[in-house]
Amino acid sequence: MRILIFLLALTAGSNSVHAQLLDNFSDGDFTQNPYWFGDTAQFDVLNNELHLNALSQTDTSFLSTPIQAPDSALWEMTFRLEFNPSSSNYLRWFLLSDEPNLNAAQNAYFLQIGGASNDRISLRKRGFGNTTTLWESSDDFVDSDPVAFSLSVEYSNGNWSIFKWSGTLWNPVGTASDSLSRPYMNTGIWCRYTATRSDKFYFDDFYYYFEPWVDNQD
């Protein structure tokens, strides 16, 4: 219902709204429909979930997939981390990136899950290589083992809203204000892990709903 309301709100000012299913991995594959780019040898599909299956070493791994640049958009993703996140083991969900190689992204928006001892999630913006925090949750938001839930992010007219699925409805957990100033053409996930966590990341149900980007600058 919330998705329908969001799409109806978009149509109030436009004649063209687009909905795009990115992937739910029910086909047992992530190499096509859609195509995922990145460290593909370090991921597989296990029980209809995208699964990090990297070497047992300290490293990072990412996957991204191309999208049409949004003017307004909604993202959804389900994830499971079979560990308590820390400064050495955490996840970044890249909502938007200017590069398919998420390691090289100079301009991006992403949700970070974990990454510090206070066990928060945060919405961050990377601009010309510099990263700022737009919103951050309270402490202990992901202080559990495992961490498993669905997140959603909406963007429209400079306003960002973050939601968590409760099992019956989407609960708002945070908001931020920051306007998109360029087209972004990629979305994806980035995992940082140690040797004992290199196969403990799981993902499912990537969705993307958007109103196409229109460049109004001369």
Side-chain angles (χ1 to χ4, degrees), residues 9-206:
L10 291 185
T11 58
S14 172
N15 293 322
S16 60
V17 174
H18 295 68
Q20 180 177 354
L21 167 64
L22 286 183
D23 218 338
N24 62 8
F25 310 104
S26 60
D27 60 358
D29 182 35
F30 67 93
T31 61
Q32 56 186 345
N33 299 320
Y35 162 75
W36 290 86
F37 166 84
D39 299 312
T40 55
Q42 298 171 23
F43 289 85
D44 57 23
V45 176
L46 184 63
N47 297 323
N48 294 330
E49 292 180 304
L50 181 65
H51 169 232
L52 176 66
N53 192 19
L55 296 175
S56 297
Q57 61 187 26
T58 298
D59 205 347
T60 65
S61 300
F62 80 91
L63 289 177
S64 71
T65 189
I67 57 173
Q68 293 188 47
D71 183 65
S72 299
L74 180 149
W75 299 257
E76 293 179 6
M77 186 221 8
T78 297
F79 72 94
R80 184 172 79 258
L81 309 179
E82 294 191 337
F83 55 87
N84 192 317
S86 66
S87 58
S88 301
N89 296 279
Y90 61 92
L91 168 66
R92 287 177 174 172
W93 177 23
F94 276 76
L95 306 168
L96 298 169
S97 172
D98 64 350
E99 292 284 345
N101 182 346
L102 301 182
N103 291 316
Q106 293 295 300
N107 300 282
Y109 289 87
F110 61 87
L111 270 186
Q112 180 162 306
I113 292 91
S117 60
N118 50 23
D119 291 312
R120 298 175 178 175
I121 67 170
S122 55
L123 176 64
R124 303 189 180 193
K125 175 185 180 180
R126 183 176 297 166
F128 301 102
N130 298 312
T131 301
T132 57
T133 299
L134 302 178
W135 166 83
E136 197 165 35
S137 73
S138 58
D139 288 354
D140 302 326
F141 193 91
V142 291
D143 184 17
S144 63
D145 183 2
V147 176
F149 49 79
S150 298
L151 290 173
S152 177
V153 180
E154 292 179 4
Y155 172 79
S156 182
N157 298 318
N159 298 309
W160 297 83
S161 300
I162 301 94
F163 299 85
K164 178 183 175 182
W165 180 247
S166 69
T168 56
L169 53 84
W170 288 101
N171 290 322
V173 297
T175 60
S177 297
D178 193 81
S179 295
L180 296 179
S181 59
R182 67 183 71 243
Y184 295 84
M185 304 295 289
N186 306 276
T187 187
I189 51 170
W190 181 95
C191 310
R192 176 174 290 279
Y193 51 85
T194 57
T196 59
R197 302 289 185 264
S198 63
D199 62 347
K200 308 299 184 185
F201 294 70
Y202 295 82
F203 307 92
D204 203 357
D205 295 332
F206 287 90

